Coordinates of all heavy atoms in Angstrom, one line a residue:
M1 N 20.9 3.3 1.6 CA 20.1 2.2 1.9 C 18.6 2.5 2.0 O 18.3 3.6 2.4 CB 20.5 1.7 3.3 CG 22.0 1.2 3.4 SD 22.2 -0.4 2.6 CE 21.6 -1.5 3.9
I2 N 17.9 1.6 1.6 CA 16.4 1.7 1.7 C 15.9 0.9 2.8 O 16.0 -0.4 2.8 CB 15.8 1.1 0.4 CG1 16.3 1.9 -0.8 CG2 14.3 1.2 0.5 CD1 15.9 1.2 -2.2
D3 N 15.6 1.5 3.9 CA 15.1 0.7 5.1 C 13.6 0.6 5.1 O 13.0 -0.4 5.4 CB 15.6 1.3 6.4 CG 15.3 2.8 6.6 OD1 15.0 3.5 5.6 OD2 15.4 3.2 7.7
R4 N 12.9 1.7 4.8 CA 11.4 1.8 4.8 C 10.9 2.3 3.4 O 11.5 3.2 2.9 CB 10.9 2.7 5.9 CG 11.4 2.3 7.2 CD 11.1 3.4 8.3 NE 9.6 3.2 8.5 CZ 8.9 4.3 8.8 NH1 9.3 5.5 8.9 NH2 7.6 4.1 9.1
F5 N 9.9 1.6 2.9 CA 9.3 2.0 1.6 C 7.8 1.9 1.6 O 7.2 1.2 2.4 CB 10.0 1.3 0.5 CG 9.7 -0.2 0.5 CD1 8.8 -0.8 -0.4 CD2 10.4 -1.1 1.3 CE1 8.6 -2.1 -0.4 CE2 10.2 -2.4 1.3 CZ 9.3 -3.0 0.4
I6 N 7.2 2.7 0.7 CA 5.8 2.7 0.5 C 5.5 2.0 -0.8 O 6.1 2.2 -1.8 CB 5.2 4.1 0.4 CG1 5.4 4.8 1.8 CG2 3.7 4.1 0.0 CD1 4.9 6.3 1.7
I7 N 4.5 1.1 -0.8 CA 4.0 0.5 -2.0 C 2.5 1.0 -2.2 O 1.7 0.8 -1.3 CB 4.0 -1.0 -1.9 CG1 5.4 -1.5 -1.6 CG2 3.4 -1.6 -3.2 CD1 5.4 -3.0 -1.3
T8 N 2.3 1.7 -3.3 CA 0.9 2.1 -3.5 C 0.2 1.0 -4.4 O 0.8 0.4 -5.2 CB 0.8 3.4 -4.3 OG1 1.5 3.3 -5.5 CG2 1.4 4.5 -3.4
T9 N -1.0 0.7 -4.1 CA -1.7 -0.3 -4.8 C -3.1 0.1 -5.1 O -3.7 0.9 -4.5 CB -1.8 -1.6 -3.9 OG1 -2.5 -2.7 -4.7 CG2 -2.6 -1.4 -2.6
D10 N -3.6 -0.4 -6.3 CA -5.0 -0.2 -6.6 C -5.8 -1.6 -6.5 O -6.9 -1.7 -7.0 CB -5.2 0.4 -8.0 CG -4.6 -0.5 -9.1 OD1 -4.1 -1.6 -8.8 OD2 -4.6 0.0 -10.3
L11 N -5.1 -2.6 -6.0 CA -5.6 -3.9 -5.7 C -5.9 -4.7 -7.0 O -6.7 -5.6 -7.0 CB -6.9 -3.9 -4.8 CG -6.6 -3.2 -3.5 CD1 -7.9 -3.1 -2.7 CD2 -5.6 -4.0 -2.7
S12 N -5.4 -4.2 -8.1 CA -5.6 -4.9 -9.4 C -4.6 -6.1 -9.5 O -3.7 -6.2 -8.8 CB -5.3 -3.9 -10.5 OG -3.9 -3.6 -10.6
P13 N -4.9 -7.0 -10.5 CA -3.9 -8.1 -10.8 C -2.5 -7.5 -11.1 O -1.5 -8.2 -10.7 CB -4.5 -8.8 -12.0 CG -6.0 -8.5 -11.8 CD -6.1 -7.1 -11.3
A14 N -2.4 -6.4 -11.7 CA -1.1 -5.8 -12.0 C -0.4 -5.4 -10.7 O 0.8 -5.7 -10.6 CB -1.2 -4.6 -13.0
S15 N -1.1 -4.8 -9.8 CA -0.5 -4.5 -8.5 C 0.0 -5.7 -7.8 O 1.0 -5.7 -7.2 CB -1.5 -3.7 -7.7 OG -1.6 -2.4 -8.1
S16 N -0.8 -6.8 -7.8 CA -0.5 -8.0 -7.2 C 0.8 -8.6 -7.8 O 1.7 -9.1 -7.1 CB -1.6 -9.0 -7.2 OG -2.7 -8.5 -6.4
A17 N 0.9 -8.5 -9.1 CA 2.1 -9.0 -9.8 C 3.4 -8.3 -9.3 O 4.4 -8.9 -9.1 CB 1.9 -8.9 -11.3
I18 N 3.2 -7.0 -9.1 CA 4.4 -6.2 -8.7 C 4.8 -6.6 -7.3 O 6.0 -6.7 -7.0 CB 4.0 -4.7 -8.7 CG1 3.9 -4.2 -10.1 CG2 5.0 -3.8 -7.9 CD1 3.4 -2.8 -10.3
M19 N 3.8 -6.9 -6.4 CA 4.1 -7.4 -5.1 C 5.1 -8.6 -5.1 O 5.9 -8.7 -4.2 CB 2.9 -7.8 -4.3 CG 1.8 -6.7 -4.1 SD 2.4 -5.3 -3.3 CE 1.4 -4.0 -4.1
N20 N 4.9 -9.4 -6.1 CA 5.7 -10.7 -6.1 C 7.1 -10.4 -6.6 O 7.9 -11.3 -6.6 CB 5.0 -11.7 -7.0 CG 3.7 -12.1 -6.5 OD1 3.5 -12.2 -5.3 ND2 2.7 -12.3 -7.4
C21 N 7.4 -9.2 -7.0 CA 8.8 -8.9 -7.6 C 9.6 -8.0 -6.6 O 10.7 -7.5 -7.1 CB 8.6 -8.2 -8.9 SG 7.7 -9.1 -10.1
L22 N 9.2 -7.8 -5.4 CA 9.9 -6.8 -4.6 C 10.9 -7.4 -3.6 O 11.6 -6.7 -3.0 CB 8.8 -6.0 -3.8 CG 7.9 -5.1 -4.7 CD1 6.9 -4.5 -3.8 CD2 8.7 -4.1 -5.4
G23 N 11.0 -8.7 -3.6 CA 11.9 -9.4 -2.7 C 13.4 -8.9 -2.8 O 14.1 -8.9 -1.9
S24 N 13.7 -8.5 -4.0 CA 15.1 -8.1 -4.3 C 15.5 -6.8 -3.6 O 16.7 -6.5 -3.4 CB 15.4 -8.0 -5.8 OG 14.6 -7.0 -6.4
L25 N 14.5 -6.1 -3.1 CA 14.7 -4.9 -2.4 C 15.4 -5.2 -1.0 O 16.1 -4.3 -0.4 CB 13.5 -4.1 -2.1 CG 12.8 -3.4 -3.3 CD1 11.5 -2.7 -2.9 CD2 13.8 -2.4 -3.9
K26 N 15.3 -6.4 -0.5 CA 15.9 -6.8 0.7 C 17.4 -6.6 0.7 O 18.1 -6.2 1.6 CB 15.6 -8.2 1.1 CG 14.1 -8.3 1.3 CD 13.6 -9.2 2.4 CE 14.3 -9.3 3.6 NZ 13.8 -8.4 4.7
Q27 N 18.1 -6.8 -0.5 CA 19.5 -6.7 -0.6 C 20.0 -5.2 -0.5 O 21.2 -5.0 -0.3 CB 20.0 -7.3 -1.9 CG 19.5 -6.6 -3.2 CD 19.9 -7.3 -4.4 OE1 20.9 -8.1 -4.5 NE2 19.2 -7.1 -5.5
Y28 N 19.0 -4.3 -0.6 CA 19.4 -2.9 -0.4 C 19.0 -2.4 1.0 O 19.0 -1.2 1.3 CB 18.6 -2.0 -1.5 CG 19.1 -2.4 -2.8 CD1 18.3 -3.2 -3.7 CD2 20.3 -2.0 -3.3 CE1 18.7 -3.5 -4.9 CE2 20.7 -2.3 -4.6 CZ 19.9 -3.1 -5.4 OH 20.3 -3.4 -6.7
G29 N 18.7 -3.3 1.9 CA 18.4 -3.0 3.3 C 16.9 -2.8 3.6 O 16.5 -2.5 4.7
A30 N 16.0 -3.0 2.6 CA 14.6 -2.8 2.8 C 14.1 -3.9 3.8 O 14.4 -5.1 3.6 CB 13.8 -2.8 1.5
G31 N 13.3 -3.4 4.7 CA 12.7 -4.4 5.7 C 11.3 -4.1 6.1 O 10.5 -5.0 6.4
E32 N 11.0 -2.8 6.0 CA 9.7 -2.4 6.5 C 8.9 -1.6 5.4 O 9.5 -0.8 4.7 CB 9.8 -1.4 7.7 CG 8.6 -0.9 8.3 CD 8.8 0.0 9.4 OE1 9.9 0.0 10.0 OE2 7.9 0.8 9.7
C33 N 7.7 -2.0 5.1 CA 6.9 -1.3 4.1 C 5.5 -0.9 4.5 O 5.0 -1.6 5.4 CB 6.9 -2.1 2.8 SG 6.0 -3.6 2.8
L34 N 5.0 0.1 3.9 CA 3.6 0.5 4.1 C 2.9 0.2 2.8 O 3.3 0.7 1.7 CB 3.5 2.0 4.4 CG 2.1 2.6 4.4 CD1 1.3 1.9 5.5 CD2 2.2 4.1 4.6
L35 N 1.9 -0.7 2.8 CA 1.1 -1.0 1.7 C -0.1 0.0 1.7 O -0.9 -0.1 2.7 CB 0.6 -2.5 1.7 CG -0.2 -3.0 0.6 CD1 0.5 -2.8 -0.7 CD2 -0.5 -4.5 0.8
L36 N -0.2 0.9 0.8 CA -1.1 2.0 0.8 C -2.0 2.0 -0.4 O -1.6 1.9 -1.5 CB -0.3 3.3 0.8 CG -1.0 4.6 0.9 CD1 -1.7 4.8 2.2 CD2 0.0 5.8 0.7
Q37 N -3.3 2.1 -0.1 CA -4.3 2.3 -1.1 C -5.0 3.7 -0.9 O -5.5 4.0 0.2 CB -5.4 1.2 -1.1 CG -6.3 1.4 -2.3 CD -7.5 0.4 -2.3 OE1 -7.7 -0.3 -1.3 NE2 -8.1 0.3 -3.4
C38 N -4.9 4.5 -1.9 CA -5.5 5.8 -1.9 C -6.8 5.8 -2.8 O -6.7 5.5 -4.0 CB -4.6 6.9 -2.5 SG -3.1 7.2 -1.5
L39 N -7.9 6.0 -2.1 CA -9.2 6.0 -2.8 C -9.6 7.4 -3.1 O -9.5 8.3 -2.2 CB -10.2 5.3 -2.0 CG -10.0 3.8 -1.7 CD1 -11.0 3.3 -0.7 CD2 -9.9 3.0 -3.0
S40 N -10.2 7.7 -4.3 CA -10.7 9.0 -4.5 C -12.0 9.2 -3.7 O -12.6 8.2 -3.2 CB -11.1 9.1 -6.0 OG -12.2 8.3 -6.3
H41 N -12.4 10.4 -3.6 CA -13.6 10.7 -2.9 C -14.8 10.0 -3.5 O -15.7 9.5 -2.8 CB -13.9 12.2 -2.8 CG -12.8 12.9 -2.0 ND1 -12.7 12.7 -0.6 CD2 -11.8 13.8 -2.4 CE1 -11.6 13.4 -0.2 NE2 -11.1 14.1 -1.2
Q42 N -14.8 9.8 -4.8 CA -15.9 9.1 -5.5 C -15.9 7.7 -5.1 O -17.0 7.1 -4.8 CB -15.8 9.3 -7.0 CG -16.9 8.6 -7.8 CD -16.7 8.8 -9.3 OE1 -15.7 9.3 -9.8 NE2 -17.7 8.4 -10.0
E43 N -14.7 7.0 -5.1 CA -14.6 5.6 -4.7 C -15.1 5.4 -3.2 O -15.7 4.5 -2.9 CB -13.2 5.1 -4.9 CG -12.8 5.0 -6.3 CD -11.3 4.8 -6.5 OE1 -10.5 5.4 -5.7 OE2 -10.9 4.0 -7.3
M44 N -14.7 6.4 -2.4 CA -15.1 6.3 -1.0 C -16.6 6.4 -0.8 O -17.2 5.7 0.0 CB -14.4 7.3 -0.1 CG -12.9 7.0 0.2 SD -12.7 5.5 1.0 CE -13.2 5.9 2.7
T45 N -17.2 7.3 -1.6 CA -18.7 7.4 -1.5 C -19.3 6.1 -2.0 O -20.3 5.7 -1.3 CB -19.1 8.6 -2.4 OG1 -18.5 9.8 -1.9 CG2 -20.6 8.8 -2.4
S46 N -18.8 5.5 -3.0 CA -19.4 4.3 -3.5 C -19.3 3.2 -2.4 O -20.2 2.4 -2.2 CB -18.6 3.9 -4.8 OG -19.1 2.6 -5.2
I47 N -18.1 3.1 -1.8 CA -17.9 2.1 -0.7 C -18.9 2.4 0.4 O -19.5 1.5 1.0 CB -16.5 2.1 -0.3 CG1 -15.6 1.5 -1.4 CG2 -16.3 1.3 1.0 CD1 -14.1 1.7 -1.2
A48 N -19.0 3.6 0.8 CA -19.9 4.0 1.9 C -21.3 3.6 1.6 O -22.0 3.1 2.5 CB -19.8 5.5 2.2
L49 N -21.7 3.8 0.4 CA -23.1 3.5 0.0 C -23.3 2.0 0.0 O -24.4 1.5 0.2 CB -23.4 4.1 -1.3 CG -23.6 5.6 -1.3 CD1 -23.8 6.1 -2.8 CD2 -24.7 6.1 -0.4
S50 N -22.2 1.2 -0.2 CA -22.4 -0.3 -0.2 C -22.3 -0.8 1.2 O -22.5 -2.0 1.4 CB -21.3 -0.9 -1.1 OG -20.1 -0.8 -0.5
Y51 N -21.9 0.0 2.2 CA -21.8 -0.4 3.6 C -20.7 -1.4 4.0 O -20.7 -1.9 5.0 CB -23.2 -0.9 4.1 CG -24.3 0.1 4.0 CD1 -25.3 -0.1 3.1 CD2 -24.3 1.2 4.9 CE1 -26.3 0.8 3.0 CE2 -25.3 2.1 4.8 CZ -26.3 1.9 3.9 OH -27.4 2.8 3.8
T52 N -19.8 -1.7 3.1 CA -18.8 -2.7 3.4 C -17.5 -2.4 2.7 O -17.5 -2.0 1.5 CB -19.3 -4.1 3.1 OG1 -18.2 -5.0 3.5 CG2 -19.5 -4.3 1.6
T53 N -16.4 -2.6 3.4 CA -15.1 -2.5 2.8 C -14.4 -3.9 2.8 O -13.3 -4.0 2.5 CB -14.2 -1.5 3.5 OG1 -14.1 -2.0 4.9 CG2 -14.7 -0.1 3.5
A54 N -15.2 -4.9 3.1 CA -14.6 -6.3 3.2 C -13.9 -6.8 2.0 O -12.8 -7.3 2.1 CB -15.7 -7.3 3.6
P55 N -14.4 -6.6 0.8 CA -13.7 -7.0 -0.4 C -12.3 -6.3 -0.5 O -11.3 -7.0 -0.9 CB -14.6 -6.7 -1.6 CG -16.0 -6.6 -1.0 CD -15.8 -6.1 0.4
L56 N -12.3 -5.0 -0.3 CA -11.0 -4.3 -0.4 C -10.1 -4.8 0.7 O -8.9 -5.0 0.4 CB -11.3 -2.8 -0.1 CG -12.0 -2.0 -1.2 CD1 -12.2 -0.6 -0.8 CD2 -11.3 -2.1 -2.5
E57 N -10.5 -4.9 1.9 CA -9.7 -5.4 3.0 C -9.1 -6.8 2.7 O -8.0 -7.1 3.0 CB -10.4 -5.4 4.3 CG -10.7 -3.9 4.7 CD -11.7 -3.8 5.9 OE1 -12.2 -4.9 6.3 OE2 -12.0 -2.7 6.3
R58 N -9.9 -7.7 2.1 CA -9.5 -9.0 1.8 C -8.4 -9.0 0.7 O -7.3 -9.6 0.9 CB -10.7 -9.9 1.3 CG -10.3 -11.3 1.1 CD -11.4 -12.2 0.4 NE -11.5 -11.9 -1.0 CZ -12.3 -11.2 -1.7 NH1 -13.2 -10.5 -1.0 NH2 -12.3 -11.0 -3.0
M59 N -8.5 -8.2 -0.3 CA -7.5 -8.1 -1.3 C -6.2 -7.4 -0.8 O -5.1 -7.9 -1.1 CB -8.0 -7.3 -2.6 CG -9.1 -8.1 -3.4 SD -9.6 -7.2 -4.8 CE -10.7 -6.0 -4.2
L60 N -6.4 -6.4 0.0 CA -5.2 -5.8 0.7 C -4.5 -6.8 1.6 O -3.2 -6.8 1.6 CB -5.7 -4.6 1.5 CG -4.6 -3.6 1.8 CD1 -4.0 -2.9 0.6 CD2 -5.2 -2.4 2.7
Q61 N -5.2 -7.6 2.3 CA -4.6 -8.6 3.1 C -3.8 -9.7 2.3 O -2.8 -10.1 2.7 CB -5.7 -9.3 4.0 CG -5.2 -10.4 4.9 CD -4.3 -9.8 6.0 OE1 -4.4 -8.7 6.4 NE2 -3.4 -10.6 6.5
E62 N -4.4 -10.0 1.2 CA -3.7 -11.0 0.3 C -2.3 -10.4 -0.2 O -1.3 -11.1 -0.2 CB -4.5 -11.4 -0.9 CG -5.7 -12.2 -0.6 CD -6.7 -12.4 -1.7 OE1 -6.4 -11.9 -2.8 OE2 -7.8 -13.0 -1.5
Q63 N -2.3 -9.1 -0.5 CA -1.1 -8.5 -1.0 C -0.1 -8.4 0.2 O 1.1 -8.6 0.0 CB -1.4 -7.1 -1.6 CG -2.0 -7.2 -3.0 CD -2.2 -5.9 -3.6 OE1 -2.1 -4.8 -3.0 NE2 -2.5 -5.9 -4.9
K64 N -0.6 -8.1 1.4 CA 0.2 -8.0 2.6 C 0.9 -9.3 2.8 O 2.1 -9.4 3.1 CB -0.6 -7.5 3.8 CG 0.1 -7.5 5.1 CD -0.7 -7.2 6.3 CE 0.1 -7.2 7.5 NZ -0.7 -6.9 8.7
E65 N 0.1 -10.4 2.8 CA 0.7 -11.7 3.0 C 1.8 -12.1 2.0 O 2.8 -12.7 2.4 CB -0.4 -12.7 3.0 CG -1.3 -12.6 4.2 CD -2.6 -13.5 4.1 OE1 -2.8 -14.2 3.1 OE2 -3.4 -13.4 5.1
S66 N 1.6 -11.6 0.7 CA 2.6 -11.9 -0.3 C 3.9 -11.2 0.1 O 5.0 -11.8 0.0 CB 2.1 -11.4 -1.6 OG 3.2 -11.4 -2.6
L67 N 3.8 -10.0 0.6 CA 5.0 -9.2 1.0 C 5.7 -9.8 2.2 O 6.9 -9.9 2.3 CB 4.7 -7.7 1.2 CG 4.3 -7.0 0.0 CD1 3.6 -5.7 0.3 CD2 5.5 -6.7 -0.9
E68 N 4.8 -10.3 3.2 CA 5.4 -10.9 4.4 C 6.1 -12.2 4.1 O 7.1 -12.5 4.7 CB 4.2 -11.1 5.4 CG 3.7 -9.9 6.0 CD 2.5 -10.1 6.9 OE1 1.8 -11.1 6.7 OE2 2.3 -9.2 7.8
R69 N 5.6 -12.9 3.1 CA 6.3 -14.2 2.7 C 7.7 -13.9 2.1 O 8.6 -14.7 2.1 CB 5.5 -15.0 1.6 CG 4.3 -15.7 2.2 CD 3.7 -16.7 1.3 NE 3.1 -16.0 0.1 CZ 1.9 -15.5 0.0 NH1 1.1 -15.6 1.0 NH2 1.5 -14.9 -1.1
Q70 N 7.9 -12.7 1.6 CA 9.2 -12.2 1.0 C 10.1 -11.7 2.1 O 11.2 -11.3 1.9 CB 9.0 -11.2 -0.1 CG 8.2 -11.8 -1.3 CD 7.9 -10.7 -2.3 OE1 8.9 -10.2 -2.9 NE2 6.7 -10.4 -2.5
G71 N 9.6 -11.6 3.4 CA 10.4 -11.2 4.5 C 10.3 -9.8 5.0 O 11.1 -9.3 5.8
F72 N 9.2 -9.1 4.5 CA 9.0 -7.7 4.9 C 8.1 -7.6 6.1 O 7.2 -8.4 6.2 CB 8.5 -6.9 3.7 CG 9.4 -6.8 2.5 CD1 9.1 -7.4 1.4 CD2 10.5 -6.0 2.6 CE1 9.9 -7.3 0.3 CE2 11.4 -5.9 1.5 CZ 11.1 -6.6 0.3
S73 N 8.3 -6.6 6.9 CA 7.3 -6.2 7.9 C 6.4 -5.3 7.2 O 6.8 -4.3 6.7 CB 8.1 -5.5 9.1 OG 7.2 -5.0 9.9
V74 N 5.1 -5.5 7.3 CA 4.1 -4.8 6.4 C 3.0 -4.2 7.3 O 2.4 -4.9 8.1 CB 3.5 -5.7 5.4 CG1 2.6 -4.9 4.5 CG2 4.6 -6.4 4.5
A75 N 2.8 -2.9 7.1 CA 1.6 -2.2 7.6 C 0.7 -1.9 6.4 O 1.2 -1.6 5.3 CB 2.0 -1.0 8.4
T76 N -0.6 -1.8 6.7 CA -1.5 -1.4 5.6 C -2.3 -0.2 6.0 O -2.5 0.0 7.2 CB -2.5 -2.6 5.2 OG1 -3.3 -2.9 6.4 CG2 -1.8 -3.8 4.7
R77 N -2.7 0.6 5.0 CA -3.5 1.8 5.2 C -4.3 2.1 4.0 O -3.9 2.0 2.9 CB -2.6 2.9 5.5 CG -3.3 4.1 6.1 CD -2.3 5.3 6.5 NE -1.2 4.8 7.2 CZ -0.1 5.6 7.5 NH1 -0.1 6.9 7.0 NH2 0.9 5.2 8.1
I78 N -5.6 2.4 4.2 CA -6.5 2.9 3.2 C -6.8 4.3 3.5 O -7.3 4.6 4.6 CB -7.8 2.0 3.1 CG1 -7.4 0.6 2.7 CG2 -8.7 2.6 2.0 CD1 -8.6 -0.3 2.8
V79 N -6.6 5.2 2.6 CA -6.9 6.6 2.8 C -7.7 7.2 1.7 O -7.7 6.7 0.5 CB -5.6 7.5 2.9 CG1 -4.8 7.1 4.1 CG2 -4.7 7.4 1.7
S80 N -8.4 8.2 2.0 CA -9.3 8.9 1.0 C -8.7 10.3 0.7 O -8.8 11.2 1.5 CB -10.7 9.0 1.5 OG -11.4 9.8 0.6
S81 N -8.0 10.4 -0.5 CA -7.4 11.7 -0.8 C -6.8 11.5 -2.2 O -6.7 10.4 -2.8 CB -6.4 12.1 0.2 OG -5.3 11.3 0.2
N82 N -6.2 12.6 -2.7 CA -5.5 12.6 -3.9 C -4.2 11.8 -3.7 O -3.4 12.1 -2.9 CB -5.1 14.1 -4.3 CG -4.3 14.2 -5.6 OD1 -3.2 13.7 -5.6 ND2 -4.9 14.7 -6.6
A83 N -4.0 10.8 -4.5 CA -2.9 9.8 -4.3 C -1.6 10.5 -4.4 O -0.7 10.3 -3.5 CB -3.0 8.7 -5.4
K84 N -1.3 11.4 -5.4 CA 0.0 12.0 -5.5 C 0.3 12.8 -4.3 O 1.4 12.7 -3.8 CB 0.0 12.9 -6.7 CG 0.0 12.2 -8.1 CD 0.2 13.2 -9.2 CE -0.9 13.1 -10.2 NZ -0.9 14.0 -11.3
Q85 N -0.6 13.6 -3.8 CA -0.3 14.4 -2.7 C -0.2 13.6 -1.4 O 0.7 13.8 -0.6 CB -1.4 15.5 -2.5 CG -1.5 16.5 -3.6 CD -2.7 17.4 -3.5 OE1 -3.6 17.1 -2.7 NE2 -2.7 18.4 -4.3
E86 N -1.0 12.7 -1.2 CA -1.0 11.9 0.0 C 0.2 11.0 0.2 O 0.8 10.9 1.2 CB -2.3 11.0 0.1 CG -2.5 10.3 1.5 CD -2.7 11.3 2.6 OE1 -3.0 12.5 2.4 OE2 -2.6 10.8 3.8
V87 N 0.6 10.3 -0.9 CA 1.8 9.5 -0.9 C 3.0 10.3 -0.5 O 3.8 9.9 0.3 CB 1.9 8.7 -2.2 CG1 3.2 7.9 -2.2 CG2 0.8 7.7 -2.4
N88 N 3.2 11.4 -1.2 CA 4.3 12.2 -0.9 C 4.3 12.8 0.5 O 5.3 12.8 1.2 CB 4.5 13.4 -1.9 CG 4.9 12.9 -3.2 OD1 5.7 12.0 -3.4 ND2 4.4 13.6 -4.3
R89 N 3.2 13.2 1.0 CA 3.0 13.7 2.4 C 3.4 12.6 3.4 O 4.2 12.9 4.3 CB 1.6 14.2 2.6 CG 1.4 14.9 4.0 CD 0.0 15.2 4.2 NE -0.9 14.0 4.4 CZ -0.9 13.3 5.5 NH1 -0.2 13.6 6.5 NH2 -1.7 12.3 5.6
I90 N 2.9 11.4 3.2 CA 3.2 10.3 4.1 C 4.7 10.0 4.1 O 5.3 9.8 5.1 CB 2.3 9.1 3.8 CG1 0.9 9.4 4.2 CG2 2.8 7.8 4.6 CD1 -0.1 8.3 3.7
A91 N 5.2 9.9 2.9 CA 6.7 9.6 2.7 C 7.5 10.6 3.5 O 8.5 10.2 4.2 CB 7.0 9.5 1.3
E92 N 7.3 11.9 3.3 CA 8.1 12.9 4.0 C 7.8 12.9 5.5 O 8.8 12.9 6.2 CB 7.7 14.3 3.4 CG 8.3 14.5 2.0 CD 7.9 15.8 1.4 OE1 7.5 16.7 2.2 OE2 8.1 16.0 0.2
R93 N 6.6 12.8 5.9 CA 6.2 12.9 7.3 C 6.8 11.7 8.1 O 7.3 11.9 9.2 CB 4.7 13.0 7.5 CG 4.3 13.1 9.0 CD 2.8 12.9 9.2 NE 2.5 11.5 8.9 CZ 1.3 11.1 8.6 NH1 0.3 11.9 8.4 NH2 1.1 9.8 8.4
D94 N 6.7 10.5 7.5 CA 7.0 9.3 8.2 C 8.4 8.7 7.9 O 8.8 7.6 8.4 CB 6.0 8.2 8.0 CG 4.6 8.7 8.6 OD1 4.6 9.6 9.4 OD2 3.6 8.1 8.2
G95 N 9.1 9.4 7.0 CA 10.5 9.0 6.7 C 10.7 7.8 5.8 O 11.6 7.0 6.0
Y96 N 9.8 7.6 4.8 CA 10.0 6.5 3.9 C 11.0 7.0 2.8 O 10.8 8.1 2.3 CB 8.7 6.1 3.3 CG 7.8 5.4 4.3 CD1 6.8 6.1 5.0 CD2 7.9 4.0 4.5 CE1 6.0 5.4 5.9 CE2 7.1 3.3 5.4 CZ 6.1 4.1 6.1 OH 5.4 3.4 7.0
S97 N 11.9 6.1 2.4 CA 12.9 6.5 1.5 C 12.6 6.1 0.0 O 13.4 6.5 -0.9 CB 14.3 6.0 1.9 OG 14.2 4.6 2.1
L98 N 11.6 5.3 -0.2 CA 11.3 4.8 -1.6 C 9.8 4.7 -1.7 O 9.1 4.3 -0.8 CB 11.9 3.5 -1.8 CG 11.6 2.8 -3.1 CD1 12.3 3.5 -4.3 CD2 12.1 1.4 -3.1
I99 N 9.3 5.1 -2.9 CA 7.9 4.9 -3.2 C 7.8 4.0 -4.4 O 8.4 4.2 -5.4 CB 7.2 6.2 -3.5 CG1 7.2 7.1 -2.3 CG2 5.7 6.0 -4.0 CD1 6.8 8.5 -2.6
V100 N 7.1 2.9 -4.3 CA 6.9 1.9 -5.4 C 5.5 2.0 -5.9 O 4.6 2.0 -5.1 CB 7.2 0.5 -5.0 CG1 6.9 -0.5 -6.1 CG2 8.6 0.3 -4.4

């Protein structure tokens, strides 16, 4: 059974399209997910220089709402690190059984 899963997003239209296709995971027991965006250090520097993360937070909120409409309990997180390493570390540490 998949009870908890991580969805990585780059906030692109393609990522949003994937969000709309995850409802079928409920039949496998999925109920809780972490919507995770991993930003490179270069992306974080660019955001810091612009003084705002509001556009990123707005797009992440839209994706979160899409998942909630499909019946999932959703937490969001934005981290600055190497995506491959960070996603695996979070999955192992926090007990997520699937990475999308």
